[in-house]
Amino acid sequence: MTSQTIRLTQTVKGAGCAAKLSPGDLDRALCGLDLPVDPNLLVGLDRADDAGVYRVSDDLALVQTIDFFPPMVDDPYSFGQIAAANALSDVYAMGGTPKTAMNIVAFPAKTMDLSVLRLVIEGGLDKMREAGVVLVGGHTVEDSELKYGLSVTGYIHPDRILTKRNLQCGDCLVLTKPIGTGIIATAIKAGLADQGVTERVTAAMATLNRAAAAIMQDFSVHACTDITGFGFLGHLAEMTVDSGYGVRIKAAQVPVYPEALEWAAMGLIPAGAYNNRSFRGSFVEFGAEVSQRMQDLLFDPQTSGGLLIAVAPGDAEQLVHALRTGGVEAAAIVGEVVAGPIDRIIVE
Ligand code: CO
Ligand code: CO
Ligand code: CO
């Protein structure tokens, strides 16, 4: 198959971040292992965050992350762009600046033309150029399915690390991209998505979280993460559990792709959404007014989703305004941090 005739989503089992190992399985595999202890390891596996952070000096730390996955769109160049934007996103979510990257590639050389690989890497390179990131190397293995992503290193000041772990009572929660990309990728794979929605969602997934991350630096942001494979509620649960607070979400204010709601009602839901729900569903309480399809969307695994930002209530409206005028048009306040019930997410 050449790059002209191929539909990448037909060549793989999973798609994008939905191909992640289920979070419960990962916990079971890592549980009880002897993890490294080092005074300069500021963020490591023991308190898993978007990226690891290692202090080099009093005013410099390295932010390091890796992400790679099988294609969720058919076009190789777009897939490269999306995989790169997704991998860079974890550095932005920590408040860091990505500097260098390495390609990580699995390629089915026996069944796929090398021109496909060239286009994937070209898409990745273009995103890295846009982000001001220098490609320093890479590693390619032959495999039965195409997978692509980046290992990324960035800079951050050790005193200005944004983690998932610092919610404060009264904070507003701001989301910067619509949700539903997992369901839409399922529709693309099934051949149900028309060109319009495919192009719109492809462009959104390929959009860097760089602008949103730069804008939030000017506001009292307490915590941040990016929405990827665990879905909106899975990543929100990581922020909420053990925070000492609860969270209330207004479902009607969460930006969504309307097509994803329609397809969710038809049952086009990726397996990852069910995994996310069984792992984190016990922390979530849905009001009677929240439809089943909206619940499915809230657990839908996202590829290269937006930032979820906890910001001081007095700054929230201005942050959303700055994001929207800065090109992050979907940005919206979706909920707030409340005194209780502790560790619970109430969706109403
Ligand atoms: Co992340
Ligand atoms: Co990630
Ligand atoms: Co973070």
Side-chain angles (χ1 to χ4, degrees):
M1 289 186 281
T2 70
S3 53
Q4 276 77 46
T5 56
I6 200 162
R7 281 190 61 207
L8 286 186
T9 59
Q10 301 308 295
T11 68
V12 295
K13 293 192 297 289
C17 285
K20 248 186 188 178
L21 188 68
S22 87
D25 285 350
L26 185 59
D27 270 13
R28 275 190 291 281
L30 297 183
C31 165
L33 283 184
D34 199 5
L35 297 171
V37 178
D38 182 318
N40 289 314
L41 183 59
L42 304 180
V43 180
L45 265 179
D46 57 326
R47 40 174 294 209
D49 215 288
D50 291 305
V53 183
Y54 190 85
R55 180 170 47 213
V56 177
S57 66
D58 286 346
D59 54 9
L60 178 67
L62 297 180
V63 193
Q64 294 181 284
T65 180
I66 180 164
D67 258 312
F68 73 118
F69 46 47
M72 75 306 296
V73 293
D74 288 319
D75 175 53
Y77 177 82
S78 301
F79 169 51
Q81 286 192 313
I82 292 166
N86 179 76
L88 292 164
S89 175
D90 283 321
V91 176
Y92 293 126
M94 304 292 290
T97 305
K99 290 289 179 189
T100 62
M102 299 216 244
N103 282 329
I104 175 158
V105 183
F107 191 72
K110 292 190 180 71
T111 54
M112 209 177 267
D113 196 274
L114 282 173
S115 61
V116 175
L117 178 58
R118 186 184 166 84
L119 284 168
V120 170
I121 290 175
E122 191 185 352
L125 270 172
D126 283 353
K127 273 296 141 184
M128 285 181 254
R129 203 170 291 122
E130 183 187 336
V133 166
V134 180
L135 182 70
V136 297
H139 186 75
T140 306
V141 296
E142 193 171 337
D143 195 8
S144 56
E145 289 189 352
L146 171 63
K147 298 177 193 76
Y148 173 64
L150 301 178
S151 142
V152 184
T153 300
Y155 291 171
I156 196 167
H157 192 289
D159 301 333
R160 288 199 287 273
I161 302 164
L162 276 175
T163 70
K164 303 171 179 178
R165 290 284 171 193
N166 190 37
L167 295 186
Q168 298 185 17
C169 196
D171 278 353
C172 287
L173 296 164
V174 172
L175 179 64
T176 67
K177 286 187 190 180
I179 59 169
T181 65
I183 290 164
I184 290 172
T186 308
I188 291 174
K189 198 168 155 68
L192 293 172
D194 65 31
Q195 202 182 341
V197 63
T198 303
E199 280 174 6
R200 214 154 20 90
V201 174
T202 298
M205 290 190 290
T207 299
L208 294 173
N209 281 326
R210 181 174 62 160
I215 290 166
M216 77 175 170
Q217 301 283 345
D218 296 334
F219 297 88
S220 296
V221 171
H222 297 138
C224 180
T225 192
D226 60 335
I227 304 300
T228 54
F230 300 155
F232 174 82
L233 286 174
H235 289 282
L236 178 61
E238 291 182 328
M239 297 177 108
T240 308
V241 174
D242 298 328
S243 68
Y245 300 113
V247 164
R248 293 192 96 87
I249 296 297
K250 295 253 184 284
Q253 289 172 20
V254 177
V256 300
Y257 295 104
E259 295 87 350
L261 272 176
E262 284 167 38
W263 284 319
M266 290 168 53
L268 273 181
I269 295 156
Y274 297 106
N275 293 339
N276 290 339
R277 190 170 188 139
S278 64
F279 185 60
R280 293 297 196 179
S282 62
F283 295 99
V284 183
E285 205 172 296
F286 290 104
E289 66 282 15
V290 184
S291 65
Q292 182 61 46
R293 57 187 188 164
M294 187 61 194
Q295 295 183 26
D296 290 332
L297 234 70
L298 290 164
F299 281 113
D300 181 43
Q302 302 301 286
T303 295
S304 192
L307 298 181
L308 180 59
I309 303 166
V311 62
D315 272 9
E317 295 284 354
Q318 278 174 286
L319 170 61
V320 168
H321 180 76
L323 286 167
R324 286 186 180 169
T325 52
V328 188
E329 283 135 29
I333 298 173
V334 298
E336 59 176 337
V337 179
V338 293
I342 288 170
D343 285 359
R344 309 275 311 156
I345 298 170
I346 299 191
V347 184
E348 52 201 4

